[in-house]
Each structure stands twice: as C-alpha cells, then as structure tokens.
Amino acid sequence: MTRSKNVNNRHRVIIVGLDGASWEALNPLIQEGLVPTIEMLCREGCSGVLQSTIPPITPPAWTSLVTGVNPGKHGIFDMTIVDTDYHQKLPSSFDIQADTLWDLIENSVVIDFPVSYPPNAISGVMISGMFTPHRGKEFTHPKALRDEILHTMPHYKFDLHWERYRGRKEQLLTNLYGMTEDREYLLFRFLNTAWNLFFIVFTGTDRLQHVAWNEQELKDYYCYLDQILEKVLQKIENTETILLMVSDHGFDAVSNVVNINTFLYEEGYLNLKKRVSPLRRLGVTEERIFRLLNKFQLIDTRLALQYPAVTRFTRKLLPRSSSFDLENDVEWSKTEAFFSGYGIYINDTRFRKGIVTDDVVVREGIIEKLKSIRDPASGKRVIENIYTREDIYVGSNSGSAPDLVIIPKRGYSLGEAISSVIEPTDFMKADHRPEGVCIVFGPGIKKGKTLGNVSICDIAPTTLHILGFMQPGYMDGTARQEIFQQDSDLAASTELKIISERLRIKKNVRDLKKSGKLGLI
C-alpha cells in the first residue's frame, strides 16, 4: 500500500482502546513511575474519567464509543441478545443499527473491535475481534488478509475466556501475552500503511483485571502496554496525528455476587421446572465442593472425576452447579420476570410464552423489593441504581432493551445463578464499573487539562471534528472542543465538512447485501 493524502488535509486519529482500563488501576502505577508513557500523555494532553454506557459492559459501550449514540439507537444492550424464544445469542456486526466511525471515514484500519464479526467491507482494513467463532471463518477484510495472519501467527486467538482459567493463572498469562504480542504485530504492520483513522482494542486488561486485581501480574501487563504506546508515539512523531487512549468502562474490586435470578425466584417472579434443593439455595454444589477440596490440595478433582463411583455419589447428594439454562429450565407459564447480563426482562407479550399484561405493576414491585436487598454480613444495601429502559435509552431499538437495568454498589458483582442471593466471589477479584479512562494527546491539544463529565458518546463526534467533519445531528455525544488549543486549526469549526453522501450510499448498499435484500430492488 502506498500512503494516500489525508481526506481533509488536517489530521489523522489513532484510537488505542484498553478494555476495562481504570484510573483505580492506573493512578498508583503513574505515581510509582511504572507507566511513564501514560503519565506523559496525561501531562502533555487532556485526560479524565469517561462515563460508560448503562450498563458498563463491553458490547454496548464500545459500540456507543464508535457510533456516538446510546444503545437505544445502535441496538446493542448487553453481552448477549435475548430473542423472543428466550435464546441468548452473541451480538454480531449485523446487529449494529447505527453508522460506526469507519462507515463514515475512508481509509480506516480497525483491529479487534469487539462487535465486528463478520467483518464489513469498509474502506480500509478490518480484523474482527471477540465473538469471532474460530480461525476457520472469514474474519478479515480484505479476505486475503486472513491467510497472511494465519501464516504469520498460526495460533492466533480472538479472545481469552478468563473464567476457564481457574487455578491456571500461569497458563492464562502465557496465552494473554501471546495474544497481545499478535495484536502488537498487527498494530505496527498497519501503522505504516495509509490511513485516516486507526482503531485497535487490547482486551487483555479486562481479562486480567477480573482475576489479578491489584496483583503484580496486572502491574506488569500495564507496563508492557505502556511500552507499546511508547513505540506508537515514536511512529507517529512529527505527524499531524492525534492519539486517543480510551476504555469502554472501568473496574474495581469485588468480594460478593448478587444473584438476581435467585432473588426473583425467592420473590415468586421466576419459576423453574424443577424444585431448587436447599443445598443449591445455600450455594453448596458438586462444582464448588470439588473446587474447594482442590484448592486446599485435599483431592485432585480431575483424578476424582475419573472414577464413576465418586461422581455417582456426589451427583446423588449434591446439585451439580448453581447455573441454569434460561431456555430449558424455566417454567415460562408461571414466570413474570428473569435476569440476564445486567438486566431484568418482564415476561410480557414480546416473548413467545409471555404472560404479563401490565408491565408497570410488575416493574414497580420488583424495584421496591430490589431496593430492600441487604448484605447480611454488613446490613448495607447492595444495589446502587435501578433504571427503567425509558430512563436511559432513546431510539427506535429501545423496545429490545431489558425492562430494568441494575448497577450494584462497589464491591459487588451481579450474577445469574440460582444459589443464595448474596455469596462470596470465588475466582473473580474485580468487575466492571461505569468510570472509564479517556486521554487525548497530539498537536493542537491542550496540555495538562483535566476533563470533566466526558460521555462515551462524545468520542465519535470528537474524532470526526479532529478529522475535519461536522457532527451528524443524530449523534447523542458532543465534540469536546475544550481540548483544542485556541490558536490551533482544530479549534476552528467554520471549515468542517459534511459527511460524504457517497459514503452513506456505499454503506446502505453494504447493509442491503448483508440482509440479502439487494436482489429485491
């Protein structure tokens, strides 16, 4: 590829995403001098807290960041999508109902955007991220790029599921660094090509923070990412390139889980086909007993499970686990509400077996009872906020959102299990919080400025402004013009261009091709 002229003769933008990066994790490292590049970016640029979506979870948050709109407009609300048959599916690029930055900007490079499978035929390069099924699928645009990646990195991973590494932290770290090194290779492979917008996400911060919060392994990983950022700055030095370092949400320590489905079950809103045993209600399961015995080296779980007599005895005596299958375990004819991800869904007529005719009455009853949940150990409330979908979402897709979205207090996470309402976390050390990270650095950017009240929806319009384009009227965010030096060309808004109608037409054609409707026109 040969370098092409910037579309607007102004600046380029590179957005480096650190999934789940948190000032709670970064500030101590900055104070200790362990992340000098990030410290310099804050000192020589603008920085502040980035308020995430509600809920603060990867798919809706990153999608709002690159579209500039709330989930009610782009249609992604949680880690999964619950359809009318109660099936939970992972979101895909087909489900995004709003223009992303790379739909609007020519010559874009997009690496590891979480909701990017299958990859779109954008003007530029796209390598899909988490939710990509496996290496056998087409995960790049152009398609030929897939062969190059698998030839260079035959063990290329799209994501790491931290929950599967219980008791195997060293293996997690090995795979995490291997995955990050592959992203680093791709970053510098395409940094030398022609682009106007460069977008990459490193997901390792999120995965490691869940299991190694405030531990040395997490500090070491942030130091490694700081070195990558230093090399990026060396590459873009003396160019009209603005760097944004952002996260989709923050993180903080947790010690307890609030099982919302257990609460709904105990309050009579959720009914199951089989009676829940007293042991399961107390959180005593075969899975947890073996885990505890293995932790204290009283038994080798893998060895024990090889003996049928052992498994027959434990399964007769103990429930296997506290999880349940939403599709198959629930008695829908007697269920008024259920919980998935961060949200409670009222089992009304939008679902095939819905029974509720008055959503408002059921909602209000659940809200009042949720507010009363207290931790028996401290006597304190465990729920910070409860939102109705009308409180937080605006747009044509709002009807697909959960009826209620729950944000727990600090120190608590939310769970879907049928167990006890509140129980200690096992493997997880930290979980998501709404307060993320935002840093802006480059020529024409003010130095040492602390930003206040930055919405995740502000990133897309701010990026468009830097690239010389007017903010589309449908965006919920606002270009943060206070970050620009007064005498810089970035501060001028009189010469901003309108997004090319040609790009919109191209995007609409792509959408029709994806939906299979092009042949009907």
Side-chain angles (χ1 to χ4, degrees), residues 361-400:
V361 172
V362 177
R363 277 192 196 184
E364 290 177 350
I366 292 174
I367 290 171
E368 287 306 309
K369 291 176 180 179
L370 278 171
K371 290 177 179 177
S372 68
I373 300 178
R374 294 179 182 270
D375 190 329
S378 66
K380 295 181 179 180
R381 298 183 190 276
V382 299
I383 303 300
E384 184 172 293
N385 282 306
I386 307 163
Y387 300 94
T388 68
R389 66 182 177 211
E390 292 82 7
D391 290 335
I392 50 178
Y393 303 131
V394 177
S396 60
N397 294 296
S398 298
S400 300

Side-chain angles (χ1 to χ4, degrees), residues 93-345:
S93 60
F94 294 145
D95 297 306
I96 299 177
Q97 303 298 309
D99 289 340
T100 62
L101 284 170
W102 39 89
D103 289 323
L104 305 176
I105 301 300
E106 291 184 302
N107 296 333
S108 296
V109 175
V110 183
I111 301 172
D112 254 30
F113 174 68
V115 193
S116 55
Y117 178 83
N120 292 325
I122 67 171
S123 170
V125 170
M126 176 173 280
I127 302 169
S128 64
M130 63 184 283
F131 302 147
T132 303
H134 53 76
R135 291 189 294 269
K137 295 288 187 178
E138 298 290 349
F139 62 89
T140 66
H141 170 76
K143 291 183 179 181
L145 182 58
R146 172 182 171 274
D147 293 337
E148 176 191 333
I149 290 174
L150 295 182
H151 175 76
T152 308
M153 297 164 281
H155 301 293
Y156 188 82
K157 295 181 181 298
F158 299 104
D159 195 10
L160 287 181
H161 299 278
W162 60 270
E163 306 96 328
R164 301 175 184 174
Y165 288 86
R166 190 185 307 273
R168 299 189 298 132
K169 186 186 284 185
E170 287 303 316
Q171 187 62 51
L172 170 64
L173 290 168
T174 297
N175 292 344
L176 182 71
Y177 275 91
M179 185 176 73
T180 308
E181 288 165 2
D182 288 347
R183 300 311 184 274
E184 182 182 5
Y185 171 84
L186 292 172
L187 167 61
F188 293 105
R189 156 75 171 82
F190 290 102
L191 206 58
N192 291 323
T193 63
W195 50 270
N196 295 320
L197 172 69
F198 198 114
F199 184 96
I200 184 170
V201 176
F202 290 92
T203 58
T205 36
D206 177 281
R207 310 306 183 257
L208 194 55
Q209 285 175 153
H210 276 297
V211 300
W213 184 253
N214 282 339
E215 296 178 12
Q216 186 61 46
E217 293 92 344
L218 181 60
K219 293 182 179 181
D220 293 341
Y221 187 68
Y222 268 113
C223 292
Y224 172 41
L225 294 176
D226 191 77
Q227 294 167 9
I228 294 176
L229 283 167
E230 180 184 20
K231 290 187 282 187
V232 169
L233 291 176
Q234 291 170 355
K235 284 286 186 181
I236 64 175
E237 191 175 11
N238 299 321
T239 67
E240 294 296 304
T241 303
I242 306 297
L243 181 143
L244 284 78
M245 192 191 97
V246 295
S247 65
D248 53 334
H249 54 74
F251 251 81
D252 207 355
V254 295
S255 56
N256 290 281
V257 177
V258 184
N259 290 313
I260 303 298
N261 276 325
T262 303
F263 157 81
L264 293 172
Y265 176 80
E266 292 186 352
E267 294 294 338
Y269 293 103
L270 174 68
N271 279 272
L272 303 181
K273 293 177 180 178
K274 295 182 180 179
R275 188 179 71 87
V276 178
S277 72
L279 286 175
R280 183 174 176 181
R281 293 274 296 277
L282 292 171
V284 180
T285 64
E286 176 195 54
E287 177 184 69
R288 286 179 176 162
I289 291 294
F290 272 126
R291 197 181 300 151
L292 188 64
L293 293 172
N294 196 51
K295 179 179 179 179
F296 292 102
Q297 299 181 338
L298 298 175
I299 189 172
D300 188 320
T301 304
R302 290 170 296 180
L303 183 63
L305 292 178
Q306 290 177 7
Y307 293 91
V310 173
T311 55
R312 280 198 302 271
F313 174 76
T314 58
R315 288 174 186 172
K316 184 176 181 180
L317 180 66
L318 301 172
R320 292 200 64 183
S321 78
S322 56
S323 62
F324 77 105
D325 185 335
L326 184 64
E327 290 181 77
N328 300 311
D329 291 351
V330 178
E331 184 59 71
W332 293 112
S333 64
K334 300 178 181 179
T335 290
E336 291 183 308
F338 62 94
F339 175 78
S340 176
Y342 273 77
I344 291 177
Y345 294 80

